[in-house]
Amino acid sequence: MNDFIPVNEPLIGQEEKDYIADCLETGWISSEGPYVGQFETEFSKRVGRQYGITVANGSMALEAAVAALGLGAGDEVIMPAFTIISCAAAIVRAGAVPVVVDCESDTWNMDVTAIEALITPRTRAIMAVHIYGLPVDMDALMELARRHGLLVIEDAAEAIGQTCRGRPCGSFGDISVFSFYPNKLVTTGEGGMIVTDSPALAERCRSLRNLCFIPESRFVHEEMGWNMRMTNLQAALGVGQLHRLDAHLARKVEIGHRYNERLGGIDALTLPRAGTDCADNMYWVYGLVLADGLAMTARDAMQELGGAGIGTRPFFYPMHRQPVFRKMGLFDGISCPVAERIAVRGFYIPSGLAMTNEQIDRVADAVAKLFA
Ligand SMILES: Cc1ncc(COP(=O)(O)O)c(C=O)c1O
């Protein structure tokens, strides 16, 4: 279908194309090329951190973060029920135990006020994840973590360029991670970054990303790492994208406001919250939650919109309901009613940076038509 509106389409400019051409012309196509270091320096500076370590994707960034902090058997890590599986997978693969907290019904972020009740003598860390465009209240979360002596992993994959009370998302955690998948505000195709202010953690992540090679004795390994290196080609794309971040943020907000205006009057829909004490929404994705009384589920709505040539995505499926974890005996008897409800009633509509205003209006009209 020619006029299909995908849920996301990235915006790639001439600067990115020039940098990539430079990689091809100079032959620097592996992780050894100069854009990797440039991207790490410029990106970590933008989020106010000392060190940036590029990796192959955001999921690997989480794996490395969990490993670098030394989390493992017997350790409990408190995390949101409502997030991508990469968060829980990193914890489980390390042999640690994910403990889920429900989300707030209006921000869809983890309910920070519910964390303290989950802390046990085995709790070692909190994984905070900023969801869909609004930040978690990191001031409250960090205060709680410090008071209980807990480590913090901050997943800011969805919050590139977002802030919490004026401070960049990604600047709070002992270790913080980003993804540069094409739906993110800075993309490298596939890619991720770990940021931290700790020289020891940075060094540890660099080693883990590069198979734990020991410089003095190449091919002799004391430990197992991964090859999770980012290529120079990807980093070249990232450098160009980073230079457009403010324009990307402004456009996301414009898209969000345009949807707000057009969908604001529909009682059957909960729209993304415009802002909180922590920040204005930057509408990384534009989520909709159908009212409880409606017979229509998110799946029905997505099917209708698909028929009208509009791409959508369902909301996350809660971690404590994931068959893969249930089969491992995790999350027995756990319930998170908000995450469970929005997983069935929530979905998001197209908001890619390459979208035109005409496309936004077409999507909004199609959504409104569902409730006419
Ligand atoms: C919050 C969050 N964390 C981690 C990831 C994983 O990133 P990637 O897709 O680059 O592996 C994503 C998804 O892109 C995400 O939304």
Side-chain angles (χ1 to χ4, degrees):
M1 203 185 314
N2 265 344
D3 58 355
F4 182 77
I5 304 175
V7 75
N8 176 66
E9 199 180 334
L11 201 56
I12 294 161
Q14 191 55 45
E15 191 180 344
E16 290 91 310
K17 291 174 191 166
D18 291 344
Y19 292 160
I20 291 170
D22 180 46
C23 298
L24 296 173
E25 279 156 21
T26 58
W28 285 112
I29 55 173
S30 76
S31 61
E32 300 276 319
Y35 288 105
V36 174
Q38 185 182 347
F39 187 40
E40 290 173 341
T41 303
E42 290 189 15
F43 190 88
S44 52
K45 196 164 166 212
R46 168 77 198 224
V47 295
R49 301 308 300 250
Q50 294 286 317
Y51 304 98
I53 303 98
T54 49
V55 287
N57 53 61
S59 304
M60 283 290 110
L62 284 162
E63 300 272 340
V66 167
L69 291 176
L71 300 171
D75 296 332
E76 291 178 0
V77 182
I78 298 175
M79 60 165 294
F82 188 73
T83 183
I84 191 157
I85 194 161
S86 314
C87 299
I91 296 167
V92 172
R93 255 197 282 265
V97 179
V99 174
V100 288
V101 62
D102 204 355
C103 56
E104 301 170 324
S105 59
D106 55 349
T107 67
W108 310 323
N109 270 319
M110 71 197 295
D111 182 354
V112 176
T113 65
I115 293 176
E116 195 155 23
L118 298 172
I119 296 174
T120 75
R122 290 176 300 282
T123 308
R124 285 215 40 221
I126 304 174
M127 184 183 282
V129 188
H130 307 292
I131 297 289
Y132 293 171
L134 279 170
V136 173
D137 185 342
M138 290 307 291
D139 296 314
L141 188 140
M142 293 307 294
E143 187 280 322
L144 181 71
R146 294 302 175 237
R147 188 150 42 84
H148 289 272
L150 303 176
L151 296 162
V152 174
I153 300 170
E154 182 186 6
D155 181 345
E158 303 183 1
I160 301 175
Q162 179 56 294
T163 54
C164 178
R165 295 193 184 85
R167 211 177 126 178
C169 290
S171 71
F172 292 89
D174 293 289
I175 198 161
S176 304
V177 302
F178 291 90
S179 159
F180 305 119
Y181 190 70
N183 59 2
K184 303 304 191 296
L185 265 81
V186 167
T187 185
T188 60
E190 300 285 352
M193 195 167 326
I194 303 158
V195 296
T196 181
D197 295 326
S198 155
L201 285 176
E203 197 40 50
R204 183 80 186 126
C205 289
R206 283 187 208 288
S207 176
L208 288 168
R209 132 182 110 171
N210 193 26
L211 296 167
C212 293
F213 279 117
I214 303 169
E216 315 79 68
S217 53
R218 189 93 181 164
F219 303 123
V220 179
H221 298 261
E222 299 283 350
E223 286 179 284
M224 286 195 297
W226 293 266
N227 175 356
M228 48 170 91
R229 303 183 296 258
M230 174 184 278
T231 67
N232 200 46
L233 285 158
Q234 291 167 303
L237 176 51
V239 170
Q241 286 272 298
L242 182 59
H243 295 166
R244 303 162 63 90
L245 174 55
D246 289 322
H248 286 182
L249 273 169
R251 180 61 184 153
K252 278 285 183 186
V253 171
E254 251 174 38
I255 294 171
H257 288 173
R258 201 171 176 98
Y259 276 137
N260 286 345
E261 279 164 27
R262 278 155 183 77
L263 300 173
I266 302 172
D267 288 341
L269 287 179
T270 300
L271 307 184
R273 199 168 147 178
T276 64
D277 289 350
C278 300
D280 291 337
N281 205 331
M282 53 80 136
Y283 303 99
W284 171 62
V285 294
Y286 197 90
L288 300 172
V289 177
L290 301 170
D292 286 337
L294 278 185
M296 188 193 306
T297 63
R299 189 191 290 243
D300 302 329
M302 288 189 295
Q303 201 159 16
E304 284 282 320
L305 292 171
I310 293 165
T312 54
R313 284 284 181 284
F315 269 19
F316 291 126
Y317 191 68
M319 292 306 105
H320 62 292
R321 291 288 180 92
Q322 295 290 346
V324 62
F325 296 138
R326 299 293 296 118
K327 276 186 275 183
M328 293 175 178
L330 289 166
F331 303 122
D332 265 350
I334 299 298
S335 93
C336 295
V338 181
E340 287 157 28
R341 180 171 61 82
I342 65 173
V344 180
R345 310 211 64 80
F347 63 101
Y348 58 88
I349 54 180
S351 68
L353 290 160
M355 254 188 124
T356 64
N357 285 345
E358 291 66 37
Q359 288 178 312
I360 298 168
D361 294 345
R362 214 186 100 203
V363 174
D365 288 346
V367 171
K369 210 169 136 203
L370 294 175
F371 307 99

